[in-house]
Amino acid sequence: MTQHRGAWKNRWTFMLATAGSAIGLGNIWKLPYMIGVNGGSAFVLVFIACILFVGIPLMMTEIMLGRRAQKNPFNAMQQLANEANASPHWKYLGAMGMVAGVLILGFYSVIGGWVLSYITLAFNGSFDAISASQSSQNFESLLNSPYLLVSWHTVFMVMTMGVVARGVSSGLERANNILIPALFAILLILLGYSMSVGDMQAAYQFMFTPDFSKITPVAVLSALGHAFFSLSLGMGSVMVYGSYLQRNVSIANTTICIALVDTLLGLLVGLAIYSLVFANQLTPNAGPGLIFQTLPIAFGHMPFGHLFATLFFTLVAFAAWTSAISLVEPTIAWVVENTSVKRAHATVHLGLIIWMIGITVSLSFNVWQDVTIVFGLGIFDTLDKLTSTIMLPLGGLLMALFAGYVMQKHHRQDELNLGRSYYTAWKITNNIIAPLAILMVFLYLLGLIG
Ligand code: PFF
């Protein structure tokens, strides 16, 4: 067995890397359109509840499992099961996470490619004084070009795998030091602009006025799945990052900071977008194209819009990049720790597999748009739903059950190192609330399907 393990230099690098994994297209591209597709405030409220009662405790659990074992998710679960005299089959939980990561990156890199292409559009001034219909046309013409989609997806994959090949502590995390605050700063500018020209009141009402009658089972299902997606939970990314973490760092504080920043960022983007949507008589339920159709309108009319648009899409690309890296890290860590295959070789092979998945996803927006896989869903939707609403919550459920009921009590207490009341809060959410919430959603899903 070969062991080449990196380690975070300190708590701050771990936090930035984990925040880098969490903050990505999920916040900026996915959350806003999911809010629109799932009825606005109904979705937002459930999403916030899912972050608080499921996301935060399970993020602590996942980091805790990784740090305890100091291994990739597959070997970590194997070792932890062994330590607890439990079935060795727990290791397949790690394997499921790796598969989920590969499937997610298959579509994530395609959307990452859209962002890259929007950097060039912004840079070339294509948004200047653009109308709502021109903006939609721009987006349509990108989607209708398989050649463009595949090319940008390829660029994004090369960028991602290039960093993965070099290993964990090689500096990209340091870039997060500047990039995350910069992303916030530009968002505030965007928000200020949306406030002055958009319909912020309508946006606020749409997103935050509680109307419990609008909460549907589908909204709950999507909100729970998105809480996992947004915090990068349930597939071992956070576990593998935790495995590089020193013993003296507080897991709880780090987790809460990351979850708050992650959620706030997504909600701010949502507000900025919906205030433009309502001011321009656009439809809130435009789906995955939402930010690509609305934001150019804002940038196209604001002072220095050209510059801000280029900067914004560049920062989004960076955010997507750091998340993409974390999607494959569990698998690469597993290969490196179990075989004699070199990190760079493993990266190239895995990269090729994901690249091919991404090609099918790219084609699903144009030449293969009528191809359906299951329940009438196309290739992109199938991958998205399968991972977000099934694989990630299932992974999270099993991790929660393992940490709460299988692992020895003093091991989890040592690792979490919480005061009495915080430990009780973690225990109630991890052992009871989160598993019940996920189980209920699954039962509903089975009813839906069956
Ligand atoms: N959390 C990332 C985002 O919001 O864009 C996506 C993601 C990264 C999901 C890593 C899952 C994961 F393991």
Side-chain angles (χ1 to χ4, degrees):
M1 254 225 292
T2 38
Q3 289 278 344
H4 313 275
R5 291 191 63 80
W8 304 118
K9 284 192 198 63
N10 52 39
R11 162 178 181 203
W12 189 234
T13 39
F14 165 74
M15 188 148 149
L16 284 172
T18 312
S21 166
I23 296 174
L25 295 174
N27 313 71
I28 299 156
W29 157 74
K30 201 170 180 200
L31 179 69
Y33 86 75
M34 289 190 73
I35 294 175
V37 171
N38 291 293
S41 59
F43 178 86
V44 174
L45 287 177
V46 184
F47 176 68
I48 293 176
C50 289
I51 292 283
L52 291 178
F53 297 109
V54 181
I56 291 181
L58 293 198
M59 191 170 201
M60 288 171 61
T61 304
E62 196 171 331
I63 297 175
M64 186 264 281
L65 293 174
R67 186 166 70 175
R68 167 108 209 131
Q70 305 266 311
K71 292 200 166 54
N72 69 78
F74 185 86
N75 296 96
M77 290 313 298
Q78 195 172 28
Q79 174 186 319
L80 295 172
N82 193 8
E83 209 175 70
N85 286 327
S87 156
H89 293 322
W90 281 102
K91 65 185 177 207
Y92 295 115
L93 173 54
M96 181 177 75
M98 295 184 214
V99 176
V102 167
L103 296 179
I104 294 176
L105 191 54
F107 68 84
Y108 203 84
S109 62
V110 175
I111 315 295
W114 296 2
V115 175
L116 294 179
S117 98
Y118 266 63
I119 300 177
T120 60
L121 287 181
F123 187 74
N124 294 333
S126 311
F127 305 154
D128 293 348
I130 199 170
S131 69
S133 68
Q134 281 165 332
S135 180
S136 298
Q137 264 169 22
N138 271 351
F139 182 66
E140 288 299 318
S141 59
L142 172 68
L143 283 200
N144 286 331
S145 165
Y147 171 74
L148 271 181
L149 291 187
V150 172
S151 308
W152 285 116
H153 153 63
T154 308
V155 176
F156 189 84
M157 278 307 293
V158 170
M159 281 168 54
T160 303
M161 298 321 257
V163 174
V164 173
R166 284 151 190 246
V168 67
S169 45
S170 67
L172 192 80
E173 290 74 33
R174 251 172 292 142
N176 279 331
N177 243 332
I178 310 165
L179 298 174
I180 296 174
L183 192 60
F184 257 102
I186 199 154
L187 257 182
L188 290 181
I189 295 173
L190 193 66
L191 201 65
Y193 178 78
S194 297
M195 243 176 209
S196 66
V197 303
D199 193 344
M200 192 53 83
Q201 207 183 346
Y204 186 83
Q205 229 166 15
F206 179 65
M207 282 177 57
F208 295 110
T209 312
D211 178 357
F212 294 98
S213 68
K214 281 199 297 187
I215 298 181
T216 60
V218 175
V220 176
L221 182 69
S222 318
L224 182 79
H226 190 63
F228 277 91
F229 187 87
S230 187
L231 293 179
S232 307
L233 297 180
M235 56 143 285
S237 279
V238 167
M239 194 190 288
V240 84
Y241 278 12
S243 78
Y244 302 123
L245 182 64
Q246 291 95 337
R247 284 251 135 81
N248 55 357
V249 174
S250 156
I251 292 178
N253 292 346
T254 316
T255 299
I256 290 170
C257 283
I258 293 171
L260 289 183
V261 170
D262 189 67
T263 309
L264 188 68
L265 195 104
L267 294 176
L268 288 182
V269 184
L271 272 179
I273 287 178
Y274 283 108
S275 102
L276 294 169
V277 164
F278 292 121
N280 288 286
Q281 283 85 42
L282 298 168
T283 46
N285 56 354
L290 185 69
I291 70 158
F292 298 96
Q293 287 162 340
T294 48
L295 292 185
I297 307 172
F299 288 126
H301 293 88
M302 70 164 80
F304 306 108
H306 188 130
L307 177 77
F308 285 139
T310 313
L311 205 60
F312 175 81
F313 283 107
T314 308
L315 290 170
V316 175
F318 266 107
W321 195 19
T322 49
S323 301
I325 289 162
S326 75
L327 282 163
V328 278
E329 185 58 29
T331 312
I332 297 295
W334 173 71
V335 175
V336 171
E337 286 166 26
N338 289 285
T339 68
S340 55
V341 176
K342 290 257 176 334
R343 195 175 173 98
H345 282 165
T347 310
V348 170
H349 287 114
L350 188 66
L352 281 174
I353 296 173
I354 300 172
W355 181 67
M356 286 190 277
I357 299 177
I359 291 180
T360 66
V361 173
S362 302
L363 299 181
S364 78
F365 290 105
N366 36 67
V367 284
W368 285 353
Q369 60 179 316
D370 297 326
V371 174
T372 55
I373 307 286
V374 274
F375 306 114
L377 298 174
I379 299 172
F380 164 72
D381 285 325
T382 305
L383 287 177
D384 175 28
K385 299 266 180 318
L386 173 69
T387 50
S388 296
T389 46
I390 301 178
M391 294 176 90
L392 301 185
L394 181 61
L397 171 66
L398 294 173
M399 285 179 207
L401 295 178
F402 183 87
Y405 299 100
V406 179
M407 199 173 180
Q408 289 184 23
K409 188 174 166 196
H410 69 275
H411 286 162
R412 59 175 175 257
Q413 273 176 338
D414 270 4
E415 213 54 64
L416 286 171
N417 196 13
L418 294 169
R420 206 185 163 78
S421 48
Y422 283 112
Y423 182 72
T424 311
W426 172 80
K427 210 166 124 182
I428 294 173
T429 40
N430 180 83
N431 293 15
I432 303 168
I433 298 180
L436 273 183
I438 300 171
L439 273 175
M440 267 158 56
V441 163
F442 280 153
L443 287 180
Y444 170 77
L445 202 62
L446 288 176
L448 235 197
I449 294 167

